[in-house]
Amino acid sequence: MSEGAAPAPVLTVTALRAYYQTRLFGIDRDVRAVDNVTLHVNANEIYGLAGESSCGKTTLIKTIAGAIRPPLKVQGGSVEFNFHGRRVSLYDKNAPDLADIRWRHLSYIMQGSMSVLNPLRRVRNSFVDFAFRHIHKPMAEFLDTVRAHLLRLHLQPEVLDAYPHELSGGMRQRVAIALATVCRPEFIIADEPTTALDVIVQKGVLTMIREVQREIGSSLIFVTHDMAVHANLCDRLGVMYAGRLVEEGPTAEILREPRHPYTAHLIASLPRIGDVAPKKALEGTPPSLADPPLGCRFHPRCPLAMDICKRENPQMEWVGPVHRVACFAAQPGKRQ
Amino acid sequence: MTAPLLELSDVAKVYSIGGALFGHRLRAVDGISFEVGRDGPEIFAIIGESGSGKTTLARMILNTAQPSAGKILFRGADLAGMRDRLGFMRQVQPIFQNPFEAFNPLKRVDRYLYMTARRFAGAATQAEAGDHADRALRKVGLSLAEIRGRFPHELSGGQLQRVAIARALIASPALIVADEPVSMVDASLRMSIVNLFKTLRDDLGVSIVYITHDLATAYYISDRIVIMRKGRAVEAGPARAILDNPQHPYSIELKNAVLSPDAAARLYGNRPIME
């Protein structure tokens, strides 16, 4: 990619490795949930992260958010943010105080909004708890800011007086989005924010995420296993399999012409209204990350597997100006 | 023609909320009628948003809740006057939404299979129960050797859901009631479950009541559907005809809200945009 002319990416992840390390009864076990992931997220961009459960998506974003708790340990690599020229590197010697950065610059939208909002306190108090210290204004002015923000997101300011259980699931998720964006952060992490919602509510919530992202011009990393959501929301898409990034590129290009057999399978197996052709499911199960297969981690399930796939681990290589893939079958000149 | 497998006529369920003085009544299901399996096995989908009464309806079909009004007939017999509860359970089996909640995390999953085999398939010995379990697991693409002695957390969601289906199959039921069976399962494994339902219908002659909010998989596997909203049926009929050309405003809204995976491909070069 051409550097220099383009503005610096907001997030740069380089060769990141994060393992869950357990020592039980004298047996050491490393679960390599994130293994050598390199990616960047540009300013004003929605980056989609796809992959099935236990492929390391959530571990990756935990690492990006700096939410590391044992047994999860960062083994190597770096996570670097660029908040309007202020460079912040999370796993450095002089790592910053995360409390200063969180919510002001880096916020997240969780899957279960019920666990974000305190069930015993009114929504207003959740806003105060999360955001008051980051918006340096007296309380009355702060609440005016919050009300104005809610109105911009087409929410009635009366929700501030409600308790979380009084709101429907979709409404709670909207409140959680408003809460995550009230400080106008540069970077937002959304972890499966619409998975538990039904289709009509899901569409409303996605439209809202899109609008608020455009309005405040922040970057967003959006995690879900639902490719249809990615197709409708994300600018670029990264596909993870068994702890590794296997393909990355513009969403439209990946959906039109997936290069990695795993991505191709994910897209081909999507049911569509108006299409009754039989869809094949992928055989086998994802590998255990404690004992991943040698070589390419997808090869036991891969229809294109070759000899080299069992021995060597394919690296991410460029197959287009902004399209990378880690597969020997898709990389020209590597076929055997 | 004999009586259909399952027949609901004008079924309603009313819940009273609060006390006698200040309480109100919630009509969770309100006048639903349909038939399943009149002309051989079929997959019948019940579609609706959260709170539309889908699960209440499923519980009434499973006879764990009694309708406040209307009748549910299974093979011509009214569920309300049912005497032989075990005989009914042998023929109608449930599959639940979240397999991790359906199995006790402290019990090995194969125990469920043995228990079902002893109770419903007449297995007298452990070896016989094991045979029944193995045969059912093979129908869903697993085997007893893979499952034996494993706890729920040792299996993936898709595997566990297939074990749940195998457990239901041990009783050789005529009807399976599946309440959101794929909403907790990954997209890549979803198709294996959905394809399995097709196989059950075609090869084993099992009818399936498939409850979901996912229109795309309903279109893919179901023969007939009913779309519910706030306890009422808004549209019912052949699945493909209805989803290709919905008539009721709510069905149209529902169909338009389904995100098409082709949206980005059509807008190549531009940002895929939700408007």
Side-chain angles (χ1 to χ4, degrees):
Chain A
M1 273 195 76
S2 63
E3 291 282 327
V10 176
L11 167 72
T12 314
V13 176
T14 317
L16 185 69
R17 286 181 294 134
Y19 298 169
Y20 290 92
Q21 291 187 315
T22 52
R23 176 170 288 181
L24 262 182
F25 311 121
I27 300 168
D28 286 338
R29 218 166 92 117
D30 275 1
V31 175
R32 303 174 178 199
V34 174
D35 208 0
N36 216 353
V37 169
T38 300
L39 60 86
H40 69 272
V41 179
N42 294 322
N44 201 5
E45 178 182 57
I46 300 187
Y47 184 94
L49 201 58
E52 55 203 323
S53 16
S54 72
C55 75
K57 301 185 303 255
T58 299
T59 309
L60 175 59
I61 60 162
K62 266 188 196 163
T63 321
I64 291 173
I68 304 291
R69 302 259 184 293
L72 179 61
K73 239 181 134 180
V74 173
Q75 298 286 320
S78 69
V79 175
E80 208 176 276
F81 287 98
N82 179 0
F83 299 126
H84 291 304
R86 179 182 166 203
R87 288 187 175 276
V88 175
S89 189
L90 285 189
Y91 301 107
D92 242 355
K93 280 194 197 75
N94 44 3
D97 184 6
L98 279 168
D100 281 349
I101 295 166
R102 285 206 186 129
W103 232 256
R104 178 70 199 85
H105 298 288
L106 169 69
S107 72
Y108 15 99
I109 304 167
M110 305 281 187
Q111 176 170 6
S113 49
M114 200 64 193
S115 40
V116 177
L117 303 170
N118 187 333
L120 297 179
R121 310 190 73 194
R122 293 183 195 274
V123 169
R124 172 202 315 278
N125 293 322
S126 291
F127 272 90
V128 173
D129 292 347
F130 276 94
F132 181 63
R133 57 172 295 201
H134 298 293
I135 297 181
H136 305 289
K137 285 179 182 168
M139 185 58 83
E141 265 181 67
F142 167 74
L143 288 175
D144 284 343
T145 316
V146 170
R147 281 196 199 96
H149 183 67
L150 288 174
L151 278 176
R152 265 202 306 275
L153 299 180
H154 313 294
L155 287 170
Q156 294 303 314
E158 284 79 56
V159 297
L160 288 177
D161 296 322
Y163 284 99
H165 72 265
E166 295 176 307
L167 306 170
S168 67
M171 192 55 113
R172 271 202 302 272
Q173 200 62 45
R174 285 161 194 264
V175 169
I177 294 167
L179 186 57
T181 51
V182 67
C183 299
R184 308 175 78 83
E186 285 95 337
F187 198 84
I188 304 168
I189 294 168
D191 187 8
E192 308 246 12
T194 61
T195 302
L197 306 176
D198 54 58
V199 281
I200 292 178
V201 181
Q202 164 174 284
K203 191 171 185 188
V205 169
L206 292 176
T207 312
M208 179 176 172
I209 291 179
R210 186 72 177 163
E211 275 174 7
V212 69
Q213 182 267 338
R214 275 198 200 147
E215 199 219 308
I216 62 182
S218 51
S219 306
L220 195 92
I221 199 161
F222 192 98
V223 180
T224 176
H225 64 254
D226 191 341
M227 294 299 273
V229 172
H230 283 306
N232 283 271
L233 187 73
C234 302
D235 301 312
R236 273 194 314 139
L237 189 59
V239 181
M240 277 186 87
Y241 183 79
R244 288 184 180 147
L245 206 58
V246 294
E247 186 163 6
E248 182 193 59
T251 310
E253 201 174 310
I254 287 194
L255 281 155
R256 203 170 37 112
E257 201 185 339
R259 299 294 189 91
H260 197 281
Y262 178 65
T263 321
H265 160 74
L266 281 184
I267 292 162
S269 71
L270 283 173
R272 293 168 167 84
I273 291 184
D275 176 9
V276 292
K279 312 265 181 208
K280 276 214 186 91
L282 203 56
E283 293 298 314
T285 49
S288 155
L289 292 175
D291 183 23
L294 207 65
C296 172
R297 289 181 178 178
F298 187 60
H299 85 255
R301 301 169 82 186
C302 182
L304 309 176
M306 303 174 289
D307 275 347
I308 186 172
C309 305
K310 293 172 190 154
R311 296 190 311 267
E312 283 176 45
N313 171 30
Q315 300 298 313
M316 286 290 261
E317 285 188 25
W318 297 104
V319 291
V322 282
H323 193 158
R324 302 186 287 161
V325 63
C327 176
F328 292 118
Q331 292 163 357
K334 292 263 177 141
R335 286 171 189 273
Q336 286 200 353
Chain B
M1 193 72 203
T2 51
L5 194 60
L6 181 75
E7 189 176 357
L8 279 77
S9 51
D10 215 15
V11 170
K13 179 76 183 173
V14 181
Y15 289 110
S16 299
I17 295 174
L21 206 51
F22 300 106
H24 63 279
R25 293 160 81 75
L26 175 77
R27 300 187 77 84
V29 173
D30 197 359
I32 298 280
S33 305
F34 60 76
E35 288 175 357
V36 178
R38 179 177 279 280
D39 312 311
E42 66 172 334
I43 298 178
F44 185 85
I46 301 175
I47 295 177
E49 59 194 351
S50 350
S52 62
K54 305 185 300 260
T55 299
T56 306
L57 197 56
R59 293 184 52 207
M60 289 192 287
I61 295 172
L62 290 167
N63 207 8
T64 56
Q66 274 64 48
S68 314
K71 265 189 186 170
I72 302 179
L73 304 179
F74 180 74
R75 292 201 158 136
D78 194 338
L79 291 195
M82 170 102 55
R83 288 301 179 93
D84 181 13
R85 172 137 190 86
L86 278 184
F88 173 73
M89 285 163 76
R90 197 169 289 139
Q91 298 183 60
V92 181
Q93 283 282 327
I95 295 167
F96 297 106
Q97 175 170 12
N98 188 344
F100 289 101
E101 285 175 6
F103 288 96
N104 183 337
L106 300 178
K107 278 190 187 171
R108 299 175 203 274
V109 291
D110 49 351
R111 270 198 56 183
Y112 284 91
L113 302 172
Y114 301 146
M115 274 159 58
T116 311
R118 281 168 180 269
R119 184 156 296 170
F120 291 130
T125 63
Q126 183 64 24
E128 258 181 74
D131 280 352
H132 280 286
D134 193 46
R135 234 174 298 142
L137 284 166
R138 287 188 190 282
K139 286 175 194 159
V140 300
L142 294 167
S143 70
L144 189 58
E146 291 173 66
I147 299 301
R148 183 176 284 139
R150 302 254 231 147
F151 285 99
H153 71 267
E154 293 177 270
L155 301 171
S156 71
Q159 278 178 317
L160 206 54
Q161 192 64 294
R162 279 192 278 173
V163 175
I165 296 170
R167 192 211 56 79
L169 288 178
I170 288 178
S172 354
L175 180 70
I176 286 180
V177 180
D179 189 0
E180 302 260 12
V182 294
S183 64
M184 301 298 291
V185 177
D186 264 312
S188 63
L189 297 167
R190 190 169 292 174
M191 289 324 280
S192 71
I193 305 276
V194 168
N195 284 336
L196 181 58
F197 284 151
K198 267 188 157 172
T199 322
L200 296 184
R201 176 194 61 189
D202 298 341
D203 298 353
L204 302 178
V206 181
S207 286
I208 292 162
V209 174
Y210 176 56
I211 298 174
T212 186
H213 62 247
D214 180 4
L215 269 70
T217 53
Y219 185 94
Y220 177 63
I221 60 164
S222 357
D223 301 303
R224 291 189 303 130
I225 63 168
V226 56
I227 298 178
M228 284 180 69
R229 187 186 195 193
K230 294 186 177 159
R232 290 178 170 277
V234 299
E235 201 163 349
R240 286 173 190 150
I242 287 196
L243 291 175
D244 280 333
N245 190 15
Q247 296 299 319
H248 191 277
Y250 177 70
S251 322
I252 295 171
E253 191 189 346
L254 205 57
K255 187 185 170 187
N256 288 341
V258 176
L259 299 172
S260 161
D262 306 318
R266 277 200 302 274
L267 278 166
Y268 180 59
N270 289 319
R271 300 181 121 192
I273 289 170
M274 321 208 18
E275 305 289 3

